[in-house]
Amino acid sequence: MASKDEKNLAQVLDKIATMDEPERSLVQRVHEVIVAAGPRLKPRIWYGMPAYALSASTPALMTLRNDERVNLALTEKVALVPAGGSDGTMMPAAWYFETLDESAEKRIAEIVRAVAF
């Protein structure tokens, strides 16, 4: 019998498989980067999109969306210190991309490590 984590991962992979190209390959590669950079994170579906949490029973910390553009977004559950903005209360929470190069993969891995640890 498959564990909850295995079932959740299968659902995420199934969701990615339903996407059209070239977004499907892009989202698949971002998923691989996230899993490699944040091995503690557990993939699952969150509001109909691939997401990553610390456990099957905790809220998602980040999501992968494929609407008009592919984006990696942090949820309000991430415990990060706000930075930027004139009053210092704003923080980046979403990154949009159409392609993935080595630099973008490195930045995604940095974001994942900041969230997961």
Side-chain angles (χ1 to χ4, degrees), residues 97-112:
F97 43 90
E98 293 178 349
T99 61
L100 210 55
D101 60 14
E102 188 175 321
S103 176
E105 287 185 11
K106 182 178 176 185
R107 180 66 181 122
I108 290 169
E110 290 169 356
I111 293 165
V112 170

Side-chain angles (χ1 to χ4, degrees), residues 19-73:
M19 296 175 185
D20 293 330
E21 287 295 348
E23 292 83 6
R24 178 177 50 233
S25 294
L26 181 62
V27 172
Q28 177 63 40
R29 181 64 191 135
V30 174
H31 165 78
E32 292 165 0
V33 171
I34 291 170
V35 171
R40 291 180 50 212
L41 293 176
K42 306 295 182 187
R44 67 187 224 212
I45 297 297
W46 182 265
Y47 293 103
M49 64 192 122
Y52 305 85
L54 291 175
S55 76
S57 61
T58 59
L61 299 175
M62 59 181 41
T63 61
L64 265 175
R65 293 186 68 125
N66 179 23
D67 296 330
E68 293 177 20
R69 289 180 275 172
V70 174
N71 80 69
L72 173 68

Side-chain angles (χ1 to χ4, degrees), residues 1-20:
M1 179 179 278
S3 71
K4 179 71 171 168
D5 288 342
E6 291 168 333
K7 289 178 187 175
N8 286 341
L9 174 58
Q11 290 176 344
V12 166
L13 296 176
D14 289 346
K15 178 68 174 186
I16 294 170
T18 67
M19 296 175 185
D20 293 330

Side-chain angles (χ1 to χ4, degrees), residues 68-90:
E68 293 177 20
R69 289 180 275 172
V70 174
N71 80 69
L72 173 68
L74 303 182
T75 72
E76 71 280 1
K77 303 301 182 184
V78 173
L80 294 177
V81 176
S86 60
D87 60 1
T89 61
M90 298 178 71

